[in-house]
């Protein structure tokens, strides 16, 4: 299994998960094309992460990208930066700037064999 990760991506995990759900379980090449043409902000870091994982597969394990699929794509919550916005009469309103940790695991494709049904002949 080939892994790559991003720590403390400065984007909300909820927004990154919506992009991650589109490519989870797909072929690596199909996922690259999907992320390349997606117009969401979270698509660009995931595209870069997938390219990094494919480079790891080629350089470290001598695997080609045609035979790989996304086995796991996990988006977790990282530390939240707490800020405040000044409000009326000297009060403050809290602002949470959320961050994400992203883990990508690639695995070789599993070829499923078709089951052949045998029909039992009846003797006459």
């Amino acid at each position: 299994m080939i892994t790559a990760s991003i720590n403390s991506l400065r984007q909300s995990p909820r927004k990154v998960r919506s992009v991650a759900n589109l490519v989870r379980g797909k072929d690596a090449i199909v996922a690259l094309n999907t992320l390349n043409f997606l117009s969401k902000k979270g698509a660009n870091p995931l595209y870069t992460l997938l390219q990094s994982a494919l480079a790891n597969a080629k350089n470290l394990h001598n695997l080609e990208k045609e035979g790989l699929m996304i086995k796991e794509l996990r988006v977790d919550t990282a530390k939240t930066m707490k800020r405040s916005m000044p409000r009326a009469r000297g009060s403050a309103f809290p602002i949470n700037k959320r961050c994400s940790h992203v883990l990508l695991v690639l695995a070789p494709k599993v070829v499923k064999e078709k089951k052949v049904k045998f029909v039992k002949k009846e003797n006459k």
Side-chain angles (χ1 to χ4, degrees):
M1 292 193 300
I2 299 97
T3 62
S5 64
I6 300 175
N7 290 326
S8 299
L9 172 65
R10 189 43 206 99
Q11 191 170 14
S12 168
R14 184 175 176 182
K15 293 178 182 178
V16 179
R17 275 188 203 115
S18 67
V19 176
N21 289 336
L22 292 174
V23 296
R24 188 177 290 124
K26 291 189 176 180
D27 282 347
I29 297 173
V30 174
L32 272 177
N33 288 334
T34 303
L35 291 172
N36 193 20
F37 293 107
L38 197 62
S39 62
K40 287 187 172 277
K41 186 181 171 189
N44 193 24
L46 290 183
Y47 179 80
T48 308
L49 179 67
L50 183 55
Q51 281 185 325
S52 174
L54 291 173
N56 289 344
K58 183 170 177 89
N59 295 330
L60 301 177
H61 302 285
N62 295 324
L63 295 172
E64 294 299 322
K65 63 183 176 181
E66 287 81 18
L68 296 172
M69 63 174 285
I70 298 176
K71 181 177 182 183
E72 182 182 358
L73 181 55
R74 193 172 69 214
V75 181
D76 296 325
T77 305
K79 286 192 174 187
T80 301
M81 295 187 287
K82 309 233 174 164
R83 304 289 184 259
S84 61
M85 173 75 80
R87 303 307 287 176
R89 293 188 282 173
S91 63
F93 186 79
I95 296 175
N96 292 328
K97 297 192 173 189
R98 302 180 193 278
C99 296
S100 310
H101 293 317
V102 184
L103 174 73
L104 175 68
V105 177
L106 296 178
K109 287 183 198 175
V110 177
V111 179
K112 294 182 181 179
E113 295 181 12
K114 292 184 180 181
K115 293 184 179 178
V116 179
K117 292 183 180 179
F118 293 101
V119 179
K120 194 174 188 181
K121 282 189 174 181
E122 294 182 16
N123 294 330
K124 290 185 182 181

